Amino acid sequence: MSELRVVISGGGTGGHIFPAVSIANAIRELRPDAKILFVGAEGRMEMQRVPQAGYEIVGLPIRGFLRPLWKPGNVGVALDYLKSKRMAKKLLRNFRPQVAVGVGGYASSAALGAANSLGIPTLLQEQNGYAGLANKKLAAKAAKICVAYEGMERFFPKEKIMMTGNPVRQSLLDSKVTHEEALQTFGLKSDKKTILLVGGSLGARTINESVMRHLEDIRTSGLQFIWQTGKYYSEQIAAQLKEQGKPDNLVVSDFIADMGAAYRAADLVISRAGASSISEFCLIGKPVILVPSPNVAEDHQTKNAMALVNKGAALCVKDSEAPETLIPLAVETVKDSFKLRSLSENVLKMGYPDSARVIAKEVLKLAGAE
């Protein structure tokens, strides 16, 4: 059996990194001898997260263009891109991969652009319902494009598209914690319904504002709440809660390390509509109210959310309306057992449980290493 060498590139956010690492893990399961090299952007999250997952990563000095595009600083950005592409070409010549995988983000545009110019087959993985800039640019020369949403032929050549869903953190699916054990982890009671509010590792200002504006409703709801505030907002919120009085039925944390336990404890989740989070809800069958972030390219989180809402698989609250309506809607929803069951059944129908493995098999096919 010939040696298998794979380059995986992309990052910038957890939404790009989790799928990339999941694909790498699945390749390793199929081919334990595979040599896998990651290519990321210097100073971005992947430079820490990928080595933590046990893989080697090389950083490129690539960064995003400033808006508007005529800003003088973009001359430097363009020069860094050209430098990154030269570095990526040299890296690929030395590493000699049979295939390159791109998951979106700055680094993938340079690394996969270099792979295309060297005749190395490429596979793209697009997490969102609205394609990112890097993947749109690379699509014409890609051999295969793995997607998680229907209708992606708007962005990519139809014959290259393969519906695979998004790979998710395996730890969430492998969690053996029961609902009762998960509640105990957070010091909560098993005879009360639980709502989990999570805005990502940095937090979501609007979700936090919604909680602070409805502390009295939370206090008198007869429910219990787990609230991940995010590190960015934790000090400010701690001070406000000290002043206003924290409800006893509200567990507050700046960061939840064991999201598997948090999801297991929750009867209903309130979350942003990032592609990775949505894929997780689809696989664990968790009823969710989505609050799409307005601060993302092409409003893609709203498009992600509506793909679920249109199939009765989630509820959605606009970011601008959330401070007023989010907590009252959550309290009403979690008390409606029929609604919870319906959301759970419908969201499960949208999951792709073997996504990482399916993509890994395509990678092996392109490498001629099945």
Side-chain angles (χ1 to χ4, degrees):
M1 194 184 287
S2 62
E3 188 176 60
L4 174 63
R5 291 172 172 267
V6 182
V7 158
I8 301 178
S9 184
T13 66
H16 291 313
I17 298 161
F18 293 141
V21 169
S22 296
I23 292 166
N25 291 342
I27 292 168
R28 278 265 166 92
E29 274 181 33
L30 295 170
R31 282 287 301 266
D33 62 318
K35 291 192 166 46
I36 299 172
L37 177 66
F38 278 77
V39 179
E42 287 174 359
R44 303 291 289 189
M45 196 191 288
E46 58 266 26
M47 299 310 292
Q48 278 79 45
R49 293 285 175 87
V50 169
Q52 283 167 5
Y55 294 98
E56 185 188 344
I57 186 166
V58 177
L60 302 176
I62 194 164
R63 53 207 166 101
F65 281 99
L66 306 167
R67 298 282 190 269
L69 287 173
W70 57 82
K71 278 196 174 181
N74 280 327
V75 174
V77 175
L79 291 172
D80 280 346
Y81 173 77
L82 294 172
K83 182 183 177 185
S84 295
K85 199 163 174 187
R86 281 197 305 274
M87 285 173 68
K89 242 181 188 174
K90 187 179 177 185
L91 190 72
L92 294 177
R93 282 199 182 105
N94 290 337
F95 185 68
R96 303 189 319 280
Q98 289 100 329
V99 61
V101 178
V103 295
Y106 306 139
S108 68
S109 59
L112 270 80
N116 286 331
S117 65
L118 293 170
I120 298 164
T122 59
L123 177 144
L124 304 180
Q125 198 264 326
E126 174 56 60
Q127 298 93 37
N128 292 293
Y130 193 96
L133 210 55
N135 281 347
K136 279 196 281 192
K137 198 173 113 185
L138 295 163
K141 293 188 176 175
K144 186 70 72 175
I145 304 168
C146 299
V147 302
Y149 290 92
E150 291 164 6
M152 297 303 284
E153 56 277 2
R154 288 175 298 154
F155 311 106
F156 303 132
K158 191 174 181 177
E159 67 281 2
K160 297 181 179 185
I161 294 174
M162 182 177 184
M163 179 67 91
T164 61
N166 283 324
V168 303
R169 292 176 280 186
Q170 200 59 37
S171 59
L172 293 180
L173 304 181
D174 294 344
S175 179
K176 301 287 188 287
V177 180
T178 66
H179 179 62
E180 281 68 30
E181 287 167 345
L183 288 169
Q184 284 168 17
T185 305
F186 294 95
L188 297 172
K189 298 170 182 172
S190 57
D191 61 344
K192 287 187 175 180
K193 289 273 174 72
T194 304
I195 295 174
L196 169 67
L197 301 108
V198 56
S201 55
L202 293 176
R205 185 179 57 78
T206 311
I207 292 176
N208 292 344
E209 202 180 305
S210 306
V211 176
M212 291 308 301
R213 205 181 281 194
H214 291 272
L215 285 179
E216 199 49 42
D217 292 338
I218 287 168
R219 202 188 309 275
T220 59
S221 64
L223 307 168
Q224 48 198 7
F225 296 75
I226 303 168
W227 178 23
Q228 179 183 282
T229 62
K231 292 190 190 302
Y232 186 78
Y233 299 99
S234 60
E235 280 184 31
Q236 174 196 345
I237 284 165
Q240 287 177 309
L241 286 173
K242 193 174 179 185
E243 190 184 314
Q244 296 179 42
K246 182 182 84 65
D248 293 337
N249 57 340
L250 178 64
V251 175
V252 185
S253 175
D254 65 340
F255 179 73
I256 298 170
D258 188 353
M259 280 308 298
Y263 284 152
R264 196 59 62 91
D267 296 285
L268 175 69
V269 180
I270 292 170
S271 169
R272 286 302 199 193
S276 288
S277 298
I278 285 182
S279 297
E280 290 168 359
F281 302 138
C282 291
L283 289 177
I284 60 179
K286 198 54 67 173
V288 60
I289 299 176
L290 298 167
V291 186
S293 170
N295 311 312
V296 294
E298 310 290 353
D299 195 26
H300 69 250
Q301 285 204 4
T302 297
K303 296 173 177 78
N304 292 349
M306 292 316 293
L308 269 66
V309 171
N310 292 337
K311 297 196 174 178
L315 301 178
C316 183
V317 172
K318 271 187 182 176
D319 188 80
S320 59
E321 296 169 6
E324 266 325 301
T325 64
L326 180 60
I327 297 299
L329 175 65
V331 169
E332 179 191 327
T333 304
V334 83
K335 290 178 178 177
D336 184 342
S337 298
F338 177 80
K339 185 71 177 171
L340 288 183
R341 191 163 60 249
S342 168
L343 287 169
S344 180
E345 286 170 1
N346 289 337
V347 81
L348 271 172
K349 289 174 191 167
M350 298 186 72
Y352 289 84
D354 295 318
S355 180
R357 193 177 178 86
V358 170
I359 295 169
K361 284 183 174 175
E362 287 302 310
V363 172
L364 264 58
K365 266 187 209 169
L366 289 178
E370 283 181 283

